[in-house]
PDB file of all heavy atoms in Angstrom:
ATOM      1  N   LYS F 296      -6.454  -7.850 -21.681  1.00  0.00           N
ATOM      2  CA  LYS F 296      -7.653  -8.273 -22.427  1.00  0.00           C
ATOM      3  C   LYS F 296      -7.764  -9.791 -22.328  1.00  0.00           C
ATOM      4  O   LYS F 296      -7.346 -10.537 -23.224  1.00  0.00           O
ATOM      5  CB  LYS F 296      -7.529  -7.821 -23.882  1.00  0.00           C
ATOM      6  CG  LYS F 296      -8.823  -7.868 -24.671  1.00  0.00           C
ATOM      7  CD  LYS F 296      -9.714  -6.695 -24.362  1.00  0.00           C
ATOM      8  CE  LYS F 296     -10.892  -6.640 -25.340  1.00  0.00           C
ATOM      9  NZ  LYS F 296     -11.836  -5.564 -24.998  1.00  0.00           N
ATOM     10  N   MET F 297      -8.336 -10.273 -21.234  1.00  0.00           N
ATOM     11  CA  MET F 297      -8.432 -11.698 -20.961  1.00  0.00           C
ATOM     12  C   MET F 297      -9.875 -12.084 -20.667  1.00  0.00           C
ATOM     13  O   MET F 297     -10.607 -11.345 -19.997  1.00  0.00           O
ATOM     14  CB  MET F 297      -7.518 -12.068 -19.785  1.00  0.00           C
ATOM     15  CG  MET F 297      -6.053 -11.787 -20.068  1.00  0.00           C
ATOM     16  SD  MET F 297      -5.010 -11.784 -18.588  1.00  0.00           S
ATOM     17  CE  MET F 297      -5.265 -13.447 -17.978  1.00  0.00           C
ATOM     18  N   GLY F 298     -10.283 -13.253 -21.149  1.00  0.00           N
ATOM     19  CA  GLY F 298     -11.661 -13.695 -21.005  1.00  0.00           C
ATOM     20  C   GLY F 298     -12.115 -13.827 -19.566  1.00  0.00           C
ATOM     21  O   GLY F 298     -13.300 -13.641 -19.270  1.00  0.00           O
ATOM     22  N   CYS F 299     -11.183 -14.137 -18.647  1.00  0.00           N
ATOM     23  CA  CYS F 299     -11.565 -14.324 -17.245  1.00  0.00           C
ATOM     24  C   CYS F 299     -12.151 -13.048 -16.653  1.00  0.00           C
ATOM     25  O   CYS F 299     -12.950 -13.101 -15.713  1.00  0.00           O
ATOM     26  CB  CYS F 299     -10.366 -14.789 -16.428  1.00  0.00           C
ATOM     27  SG  CYS F 299      -8.949 -13.666 -16.457  1.00  0.00           S
ATOM     28  N   ASN F 300     -11.781 -11.900 -17.192  1.00  0.00           N
ATOM     29  CA  ASN F 300     -12.323 -10.637 -16.688  1.00  0.00           C
ATOM     30  C   ASN F 300     -13.778 -10.430 -17.078  1.00  0.00           C
ATOM     31  O   ASN F 300     -14.501  -9.670 -16.423  1.00  0.00           O
ATOM     32  CB  ASN F 300     -11.499  -9.458 -17.223  1.00  0.00           C
ATOM     33  CG  ASN F 300     -10.047  -9.509 -16.782  1.00  0.00           C
ATOM     34  OD1 ASN F 300      -9.740  -9.948 -15.687  1.00  0.00           O
ATOM     35  ND2 ASN F 300      -9.161  -9.061 -17.657  1.00  0.00           N
ATOM     36  N   TYR F 301     -14.198 -11.082 -18.138  1.00  0.00           N
ATOM     37  CA  TYR F 301     -15.538 -10.866 -18.679  1.00  0.00           C
ATOM     38  C   TYR F 301     -16.539 -11.895 -18.164  1.00  0.00           C
ATOM     39  O   TYR F 301     -17.674 -11.549 -17.826  1.00  0.00           O
ATOM     40  CB  TYR F 301     -15.481 -10.865 -20.212  1.00  0.00           C
ATOM     41  CG  TYR F 301     -14.658  -9.709 -20.745  1.00  0.00           C
ATOM     42  CD1 TYR F 301     -13.275  -9.760 -20.758  1.00  0.00           C
ATOM     43  CD2 TYR F 301     -15.276  -8.556 -21.199  1.00  0.00           C
ATOM     44  CE1 TYR F 301     -12.507  -8.693 -21.218  1.00  0.00           C
ATOM     45  CE2 TYR F 301     -14.531  -7.476 -21.665  1.00  0.00           C
ATOM     46  CZ  TYR F 301     -13.142  -7.551 -21.662  1.00  0.00           C
ATOM     47  OH  TYR F 301     -12.387  -6.497 -22.098  1.00  0.00           O
ATOM     48  N   GLY F 302     -16.111 -13.159 -18.098  1.00  0.00           N
ATOM     49  CA  GLY F 302     -17.015 -14.187 -17.576  1.00  0.00           C
ATOM     50  C   GLY F 302     -17.430 -13.906 -16.143  1.00  0.00           C
ATOM     51  O   GLY F 302     -18.590 -14.125 -15.758  1.00  0.00           O
ATOM     52  N   SER F 303     -16.495 -13.393 -15.349  1.00  0.00           N
ATOM     53  CA  SER F 303     -16.798 -13.112 -13.943  1.00  0.00           C
ATOM     54  C   SER F 303     -17.670 -11.875 -13.759  1.00  0.00           C
ATOM     55  O   SER F 303     -18.111 -11.587 -12.639  1.00  0.00           O
ATOM     56  CB  SER F 303     -15.492 -12.940 -13.161  1.00  0.00           C
ATOM     57  OG  SER F 303     -14.722 -11.877 -13.700  1.00  0.00           O
ATOM     58  N   SER F 304     -17.912 -11.136 -14.839  1.00  0.00           N
ATOM     59  CA  SER F 304     -18.741  -9.925 -14.735  1.00  0.00           C
ATOM     60  C   SER F 304     -20.215 -10.190 -15.031  1.00  0.00           C
ATOM     61  O   SER F 304     -21.059  -9.298 -14.849  1.00  0.00           O
ATOM     62  CB  SER F 304     -18.218  -8.865 -15.715  1.00  0.00           C
ATOM     63  OG  SER F 304     -18.533  -9.214 -17.059  1.00  0.00           O
ATOM     64  N   LEU F 305     -20.546 -11.389 -15.472  1.00  0.00           N
ATOM     65  CA  LEU F 305     -21.900 -11.654 -15.958  1.00  0.00           C
ATOM     66  C   LEU F 305     -22.960 -11.578 -14.869  1.00  0.00           C
ATOM     67  O   LEU F 305     -24.071 -11.099 -15.112  1.00  0.00           O
ATOM     68  CB  LEU F 305     -21.944 -13.027 -16.638  1.00  0.00           C
ATOM     69  CG  LEU F 305     -21.071 -13.159 -17.894  1.00  0.00           C
ATOM     70  CD1 LEU F 305     -21.163 -14.570 -18.458  1.00  0.00           C
ATOM     71  CD2 LEU F 305     -21.472 -12.137 -18.943  1.00  0.00           C
ATOM     72  N   LEU F 306     -22.639 -12.052 -13.660  1.00  0.00           N
ATOM     73  CA  LEU F 306     -23.633 -12.005 -12.578  1.00  0.00           C
ATOM     74  C   LEU F 306     -23.986 -10.561 -12.244  1.00  0.00           C
ATOM     75  O   LEU F 306     -25.165 -10.230 -12.042  1.00  0.00           O
ATOM     76  CB  LEU F 306     -23.103 -12.728 -11.337  1.00  0.00           C
ATOM     77  CG  LEU F 306     -24.043 -12.741 -10.127  1.00  0.00           C
ATOM     78  CD1 LEU F 306     -25.375 -13.393 -10.472  1.00  0.00           C
ATOM     79  CD2 LEU F 306     -23.389 -13.455  -8.942  1.00  0.00           C
ATOM     80  N   ALA F 307     -22.982  -9.708 -12.186  1.00  0.00           N
ATOM     81  CA  ALA F 307     -23.247  -8.297 -11.914  1.00  0.00           C
ATOM     82  C   ALA F 307     -24.097  -7.681 -13.020  1.00  0.00           C
ATOM     83  O   ALA F 307     -25.003  -6.882 -12.752  1.00  0.00           O
ATOM     84  CB  ALA F 307     -21.933  -7.529 -11.767  1.00  0.00           C
ATOM     85  N   GLN F 308     -23.821  -8.065 -14.257  1.00  0.00           N
ATOM     86  CA  GLN F 308     -24.608  -7.551 -15.377  1.00  0.00           C
ATOM     87  C   GLN F 308     -26.066  -8.000 -15.263  1.00  0.00           C
ATOM     88  O   GLN F 308     -26.991  -7.232 -15.550  1.00  0.00           O
ATOM     89  CB  GLN F 308     -24.010  -8.022 -16.699  1.00  0.00           C
ATOM     90  CG  GLN F 308     -24.781  -7.615 -17.943  1.00  0.00           C
ATOM     91  CD  GLN F 308     -24.938  -6.104 -18.076  1.00  0.00           C
ATOM     92  OE1 GLN F 308     -24.000  -5.350 -17.844  1.00  0.00           O
ATOM     93  NE2 GLN F 308     -26.138  -5.661 -18.429  1.00  0.00           N
ATOM     94  N   CYS F 309     -26.261  -9.239 -14.832  1.00  0.00           N
ATOM     95  CA  CYS F 309     -27.634  -9.738 -14.638  1.00  0.00           C
ATOM     96  C   CYS F 309     -28.358  -8.956 -13.547  1.00  0.00           C
ATOM     97  O   CYS F 309     -29.540  -8.617 -13.679  1.00  0.00           O
ATOM     98  CB  CYS F 309     -27.605 -11.228 -14.293  1.00  0.00           C
ATOM     99  SG  CYS F 309     -27.134 -12.300 -15.663  1.00  0.00           S
ATOM    100  N   GLU F 310     -27.655  -8.649 -12.461  1.00  0.00           N
ATOM    101  CA  GLU F 310     -28.273  -7.867 -11.381  1.00  0.00           C
ATOM    102  C   GLU F 310     -28.574  -6.449 -11.832  1.00  0.00           C
ATOM    103  O   GLU F 310     -29.566  -5.853 -11.421  1.00  0.00           O
ATOM    104  CB  GLU F 310     -27.378  -7.870 -10.141  1.00  0.00           C
ATOM    105  CG  GLU F 310     -27.329  -9.207  -9.438  1.00  0.00           C
ATOM    106  CD  GLU F 310     -27.007  -9.078  -7.957  1.00  0.00           C
ATOM    107  OE1 GLU F 310     -27.215  -7.985  -7.388  1.00  0.00           O
ATOM    108  OE2 GLU F 310     -26.566 -10.071  -7.373  1.00  0.00           O
ATOM    109  N   ALA F 311     -27.710  -5.906 -12.678  1.00  0.00           N
ATOM    110  CA  ALA F 311     -27.968  -4.571 -13.214  1.00  0.00           C
ATOM    111  C   ALA F 311     -29.268  -4.572 -14.007  1.00  0.00           C
ATOM    112  O   ALA F 311     -30.105  -3.663 -13.866  1.00  0.00           O
ATOM    113  CB  ALA F 311     -26.808  -4.127 -14.095  1.00  0.00           C
ATOM    114  N   ALA F 312     -29.438  -5.610 -14.829  1.00  0.00           N
ATOM    115  CA  ALA F 312     -30.662  -5.716 -15.625  1.00  0.00           C
ATOM    116  C   ALA F 312     -31.886  -5.885 -14.736  1.00  0.00           C
ATOM    117  O   ALA F 312     -32.950  -5.301 -14.989  1.00  0.00           O
ATOM    118  CB  ALA F 312     -30.544  -6.889 -16.593  1.00  0.00           C
ATOM    119  N   GLU F 313     -31.744  -6.676 -13.663  1.00  0.00           N
ATOM    120  CA  GLU F 313     -32.849  -6.874 -12.733  1.00  0.00           C
ATOM    121  C   GLU F 313     -33.256  -5.587 -12.044  1.00  0.00           C
ATOM    122  O   GLU F 313     -34.401  -5.411 -11.629  1.00  0.00           O
ATOM    123  CB  GLU F 313     -32.463  -7.932 -11.690  1.00  0.00           C
ATOM    124  CG  GLU F 313     -32.360  -9.343 -12.264  1.00  0.00           C
ATOM    125  CD  GLU F 313     -31.779 -10.329 -11.255  1.00  0.00           C
ATOM    126  OE1 GLU F 313     -31.487  -9.884 -10.111  1.00  0.00           O
ATOM    127  OE2 GLU F 313     -31.610 -11.508 -11.607  1.00  0.00           O
ATOM    128  N   ASN F 314     -32.305  -4.671 -11.919  1.00  0.00           N
ATOM    129  CA  ASN F 314     -32.578  -3.376 -11.302  1.00  0.00           C
ATOM    130  C   ASN F 314     -32.919  -2.303 -12.333  1.00  0.00           C
ATOM    131  O   ASN F 314     -32.898  -1.108 -12.019  1.00  0.00           O
ATOM    132  CB  ASN F 314     -31.373  -2.938 -10.466  1.00  0.00           C
ATOM    133  CG  ASN F 314     -31.281  -3.649  -9.132  1.00  0.00           C
ATOM    134  OD1 ASN F 314     -31.877  -3.235  -8.140  1.00  0.00           O
ATOM    135  ND2 ASN F 314     -30.534  -4.758  -9.109  1.00  0.00           N
ATOM    136  N   GLY F 315     -33.199  -2.746 -13.562  1.00  0.00           N
ATOM    137  CA  GLY F 315     -33.643  -1.825 -14.598  1.00  0.00           C
ATOM    138  C   GLY F 315     -32.558  -0.996 -15.242  1.00  0.00           C
ATOM    139  O   GLY F 315     -32.849   0.055 -15.832  1.00  0.00           O
ATOM    140  N   CYS F 316     -31.301  -1.442 -15.160  1.00  0.00           N
ATOM    141  CA  CYS F 316     -30.178  -0.689 -15.729  1.00  0.00           C
ATOM    142  C   CYS F 316     -29.548  -1.444 -16.895  1.00  0.00           C
ATOM    143  O   CYS F 316     -29.595  -2.680 -16.947  1.00  0.00           O
ATOM    144  CB  CYS F 316     -29.121  -0.406 -14.674  1.00  0.00           C
ATOM    145  SG  CYS F 316     -29.725   0.637 -13.313  1.00  0.00           S
ATOM    146  N   HIS F 317     -28.936  -0.687 -17.805  1.00  0.00           N
ATOM    147  CA  HIS F 317     -28.332  -1.294 -18.985  1.00  0.00           C
ATOM    148  C   HIS F 317     -26.960  -1.921 -18.706  1.00  0.00           C
ATOM    149  O   HIS F 317     -26.637  -2.977 -19.232  1.00  0.00           O
ATOM    150  CB  HIS F 317     -28.154  -0.246 -20.087  1.00  0.00           C
ATOM    151  CG  HIS F 317     -29.422   0.328 -20.601  1.00  0.00           C
ATOM    152  ND1 HIS F 317     -29.842   1.603 -20.287  1.00  0.00           N
ATOM    153  CD2 HIS F 317     -30.384  -0.197 -21.397  1.00  0.00           C
ATOM    154  CE1 HIS F 317     -30.997   1.844 -20.878  1.00  0.00           C
ATOM    155  NE2 HIS F 317     -31.363   0.774 -21.553  1.00  0.00           N
ATOM    156  N   GLN F 318     -26.154  -1.247 -17.900  1.00  0.00           N
ATOM    157  CA  GLN F 318     -24.775  -1.652 -17.700  1.00  0.00           C
ATOM    158  C   GLN F 318     -24.369  -1.501 -16.239  1.00  0.00           C
ATOM    159  O   GLN F 318     -25.066  -0.860 -15.439  1.00  0.00           O
ATOM    160  CB  GLN F 318     -23.837  -0.799 -18.575  1.00  0.00           C
ATOM    161  CG  GLN F 318     -24.024  -0.984 -20.080  1.00  0.00           C
ATOM    162  CD  GLN F 318     -23.432  -2.279 -20.586  1.00  0.00           C
ATOM    163  OE1 GLN F 318     -22.492  -2.822 -20.010  1.00  0.00           O
ATOM    164  NE2 GLN F 318     -23.963  -2.790 -21.680  1.00  0.00           N
ATOM    165  N   VAL F 319     -23.188  -2.073 -15.922  1.00  0.00           N
ATOM    166  CA  VAL F 319     -22.621  -1.972 -14.576  1.00  0.00           C
ATOM    167  C   VAL F 319     -21.587  -0.850 -14.552  1.00  0.00           C
ATOM    168  O   VAL F 319     -20.748  -0.752 -15.452  1.00  0.00           O
ATOM    169  CB  VAL F 319     -21.945  -3.293 -14.159  1.00  0.00           C
ATOM    170  CG1 VAL F 319     -21.306  -3.159 -12.775  1.00  0.00           C
ATOM    171  CG2 VAL F 319     -22.938  -4.445 -14.186  1.00  0.00           C
TER     172      VAL F 319
END
Side-chain angles (χ1 to χ4, degrees):
K296 195 78 170 176
M297 298 164 60
C299 59
N300 299 326
Y301 296 79
S303 59
S304 73
L305 297 178
L306 179 58
Q308 177 58 43
C309 289
E310 289 206 21
E313 290 172 1
N314 283 274
C316 297
H317 296 106
Q318 295 284 333
V319 178

